[in-house]
Amino acid sequence: MHGGDRVALALQAHGVRFVFTLTGGHIAPILVGCRQRGIRVIDTRHEATAVFAADAVARLSGVPGVAVVTAGPGVTNTITAIKNAQMAQSPLVLIGGAAATALRGRGALQDIDQMALMQSITKWRRSVARVREIIPALEEAFFQARSDVPGPVFVELPVDLLYDEQVVRRWYGLNRSGRSPKQWVVQRYLDWRVSRLFAGAQDQPVATSRLVDVPEPEDGAVRAAVLRLVQSQRPLLLVGSQAMLDTASVDALAKAVTRLGVPTYLSGMARGLLGANHALQLRHRRREALREADLVILAGVPCDFRLDYGNHIARRATLIAANRSRTDLMLNRRPDIAVLGDPARFVRMLAERVLPGEPWKEWSERLRQRDAVRDAEIVRQAAEPTSYVNPIHLCRVINETLSDHSIIVADGGDFVATASYTVRPPRPLSWLDPGPFGTLGVGAGFALGAKLCQPDADVWLLYGDGSAGYSLTEFDTFVRHQAAVVAVIGNDAGWTQIAREQVEILHDDVATTLAYSDYHRVAEGFGAAGYRLDDPELAEETLQQARQMAAQGRPALVNALIGKTDFRKGSISM
């Protein structure tokens, strides 16, 4: 049994079904070991895609996703994706190959200080020095990735830990004869080093998965929150991505929100928590509602730029915040009641202690009427003529095409943000977006991970034409691994979210213009189905054709040429 086999055993013990990778000589034994033990190896065209796919698996399944990348450039290519996972608090395990232990610092191929690179962007990291440490290190990695505030972790495995001892001895020339005295000394040292590397390898412990406790909110804080809530007249609940970390309890969370009866806004991964048309869910004019509320509950939502650093919430309002992270809990604005613990558990505890009824019926009705007015405005805006296809109209047609088993992956700026107002995720864990880092390029990896996790789901990948450039080549991966997703590119020939304010303020469109490129032909070149959509009358028919093609097992891409609107005027967040 070589080191790659040991890695596979550890992954198997933790319920890992997929390993995402871009192959390299430093990691070959891991990939072979995984496949031989029934773990599906998915090779992508860029290491960032591998990490994004692992991230999606973690978000949808609750099991840390795993990416395995080769040394040096393989590791450095993951940095943006790892940072995105860190900020999104996604539990994933990155395994990086490394130069042989005896060659560190001697100019070996792709030998760099990977641990220093990972210092600031991972929750925990370890460089394994002996074969017998492989399984314990991975057990700790999975535990750390899931505990408290989840996040990405990094395990570095030098290549001489991964091969059989006899192979490694041959590499180091320990089978040679006719040595000079100097060579004899070197060989004795290398023999000692290899013996130490493999010492105790046969006594390796059985791989096991450690239980992770969900952080429980303090009971006194919950009681205080209940008291304030029942005294309020105009409460609001904001549920964010962190509330979805315990994937097994999302249905219980949805029931708790319904029982609580507080008007609710959902953000990030929480989109879809209440289904498409829940009476409590609000979608528009959140800033106005926050300014009017006399009590605001933030469930896994920090006061960052998305809430104008806490300034969207009226100072006179009671602020109750629940978060696993003490830093996020206190970020920019100190809550009146700070609940350190899992936000989903907190909402469920609130719901258990608040008597059912409709104490905020009038307030809820006022907010719903305001939403209805905005929805009517959107319908009117969708009917306005533009060049090619009105993007609002396209998003409404996409929404009407969704099935109850759809998953929406959002990767883009202006077009995707428009979709966020008009496309309604049908169920919990059916919306994937980058998170607070706002990373472009997540799309293909997220869609790949989602389709593998839920092969019976319709996976819709909503691209901007700018973001599509990051990962369009992964249609090759979709085809090879039979991940039949439907991608829709909102193609307005520009980086429109940036251009909106750049042109208005600086009167220059430099670096914001693209072309109405034939992206669908790129997909066709990789073996997928491609469609060009430039007529609004054909939007429904074209999307249905793409969906039917995916249902038959072939990925599809709709290159939708869209016009420009004022729907998102003043849309840059900083």
Side-chain angles (χ1 to χ4, degrees):
M1 178 182 290
H2 55 63
D5 292 324
R6 289 175 167 82
V7 173
L9 287 173
L11 301 187
Q12 195 174 49
H14 288 86
V16 174
R17 298 164 55 204
F18 313 103
V19 162
F20 300 94
T21 190
L22 196 159
T23 191
H26 291 92
I27 57 173
I30 299 175
L31 306 182
V32 171
C34 285
R35 187 163 78 166
Q36 291 178 347
R37 280 160 180 76
I39 298 173
R40 192 170 171 187
V41 176
I42 309 294
D43 55 310
T44 64
R45 301 305 297 268
H46 196 285
E47 287 90 352
T49 300
V51 174
F52 288 136
D55 187 341
V57 167
R59 298 187 194 201
L60 294 176
S61 70
V63 177
V66 177
V68 181
V69 297
T70 199
V75 171
T76 61
N77 279 344
T78 70
I79 287 177
T80 296
I82 289 293
K83 184 63 183 181
N84 189 80
Q86 182 192 48
M87 293 189 67
Q89 299 174 347
S90 290
L92 66 86
V93 177
L94 176 66
I95 299 174
T101 56
L103 300 178
R104 293 291 181 87
R106 298 182 61 195
L109 176 67
Q110 300 176 338
D111 180 26
I112 61 173
D113 188 352
Q114 298 177 157
M115 301 303 290
L117 285 173
M118 290 290 155
Q119 178 70 35
S120 68
I121 61 173
T122 55
K123 178 182 175 184
W124 178 92
R125 65 219 64 84
R126 177 169 296 173
S127 180
V128 180
R130 299 187 187 187
V131 174
R132 70 184 186 194
E133 297 172 2
I134 292 175
I135 288 179
L138 287 169
E139 288 181 354
E140 184 67 20
F142 275 87
F143 178 79
Q144 292 291 340
R146 293 177 294 155
S147 63
D148 298 324
V149 182
V153 299
F154 177 61
V155 178
E156 180 183 73
L157 294 173
V159 65
D160 49 352
L161 273 66
L162 298 178
Y163 282 84
D164 181 84
E165 182 174 356
Q166 294 307 313
V167 173
V168 175
R169 287 185 174 277
R170 188 165 63 248
W171 285 351
Y172 283 128
L174 297 180
N175 299 325
R176 296 174 189 166
S177 59
R179 306 182 185 94
S180 68
K182 181 177 180 180
Q183 290 173 329
W184 183 84
V185 171
V186 171
Q187 294 300 300
R188 286 292 301 271
Y189 166 74
L190 290 174
D191 180 74
W192 168 82
R193 189 177 186 96
V194 172
S195 296
R196 183 176 183 275
L197 200 68
F198 286 89
Q202 300 307 314
D203 301 324
Q204 190 119 352
V206 175
T208 58
S209 176
R210 293 163 57 186
L211 292 177
V212 175
D213 293 327
V214 175
E216 285 286 340
E218 197 271 323
D219 190 68
V222 177
R223 290 199 304 270
V226 169
L227 181 61
R228 292 289 192 98
L229 177 59
V230 298
Q231 293 173 344
S232 69
Q233 301 296 314
R234 299 180 304 282
L236 277 183
L237 171 63
L238 274 64
V239 183
S241 296
Q242 195 190 83
M244 310 298 286
L245 288 174
D246 186 5
T247 57
S249 69
V250 293
D251 289 336
L253 173 61
K255 291 177 182 178
V257 172
T258 300
R259 175 184 168 84
L260 201 58
V262 175
T264 301
Y265 285 94
L266 305 174
S267 65
M269 282 290 294
R271 293 176 185 270
L273 174 66
L274 301 178
N277 299 294
H278 198 284
L280 285 176
Q281 183 177 348
L282 305 167
R283 290 181 170 82
H284 309 301
R285 298 180 176 172
R286 188 177 73 176
R287 183 180 303 187
E288 292 179 42
L290 286 169
R291 298 299 296 176
E292 295 171 5
D294 63 359
L295 181 141
V296 175
I297 302 171
L298 302 181
V301 179
C303 285
D304 59 13
F305 69 94
R306 293 167 292 182
L307 290 177
D308 191 24
Y309 311 98
N311 292 320
H312 284 172
I313 302 168
R315 291 291 167 180
R316 65 180 181 279
T318 298
L319 177 58
I320 302 172
N323 206 293
R324 293 190 183 203
S325 166
R326 186 179 298 276
T327 299
D328 287 353
L329 188 62
M330 300 296 178
L331 187 65
N332 295 312
R333 179 164 173 177
R334 184 176 293 274
D336 297 285
I337 299 175
V339 184
L340 184 62
D342 182 65
R345 293 286 180 98
F346 170 67
V347 172
R348 289 163 60 187
M349 293 169 76
L350 276 184
E352 291 169 358
R353 303 183 189 199
V354 174
L355 294 176
E358 295 184 292
W360 306 292
K361 183 177 181 179
E362 183 178 340
W363 165 240
S364 295
E365 184 60 30
R366 187 200 315 174
L367 296 175
R368 278 198 297 269
Q369 289 177 359
R370 187 183 293 170
D371 253 30
V373 170
R374 179 57 179 144
D375 282 335
E377 290 176 354
I378 291 173
V379 171
R380 177 183 56 77
Q381 290 175 300
E384 294 174 353
T386 69
S387 57
Y388 298 116
V389 181
N390 183 315
I392 310 169
H393 169 70
L394 176 59
C395 289
R396 285 175 52 79
V397 177
I398 291 171
N399 186 66
E400 293 166 1
T401 309
L402 297 178
S403 70
D404 291 340
H405 299 287
S406 294
I407 297 174
I408 302 103
V409 174
D411 184 13
D414 201 70
F415 174 66
V416 168
T418 298
S420 71
Y421 284 93
T422 50
V423 176
R424 301 187 174 188
R427 58 192 169 91
L429 299 175
S430 63
W431 176 275
L432 287 167
D433 64 23
F437 202 29
T439 307
L440 291 184
V442 303
F446 278 14
L448 177 64
K451 189 63 177 177
L452 291 172
C453 274
Q454 299 185 26
D456 294 331
D458 296 329
V459 176
W460 292 83
L461 168 50
L462 305 187
Y463 269 132
D465 53 339
S467 62
Y470 285 87
S471 63
L472 199 56
T473 191
E474 299 295 351
F475 263 82
D476 170 70
T477 307
F478 295 154
V479 171
R480 287 185 297 107
H481 290 286
Q482 300 177 326
V485 310
V486 177
V488 180
I489 298 180
N491 184 356
D492 60 4
W495 298 91
T496 303
Q497 182 162 321
I498 306 304
R500 285 183 184 276
E501 294 191 9
Q502 179 177 314
V503 173
E504 181 176 335
I505 297 172
L506 300 175
H507 314 294
D508 195 325
D509 67 354
V510 61
T512 67
T513 58
L514 294 170
Y516 285 109
S517 300
D518 288 338
Y519 298 111
H520 57 292
R521 297 197 183 279
V522 177
E524 289 173 343
F526 285 122
Y531 303 87
R532 185 180 192 269
L533 171 63
D534 58 13
D535 183 347
E537 297 297 323
L538 298 178
E540 181 178 358
E541 177 184 341
T542 303
L543 292 174
Q544 288 290 1
Q545 288 175 351
R547 183 185 174 199
Q548 290 168 9
M549 187 62 67
Q552 296 169 20
R554 188 180 180 191
L557 183 146
V558 178
N559 181 20
L561 279 60
I562 59 176
K564 300 186 187 299
T565 72
D566 290 331
F567 185 72
R568 301 196 61 250
K569 188 176 179 64
S571 59
I572 294 180
S573 297
M574 295 189 183

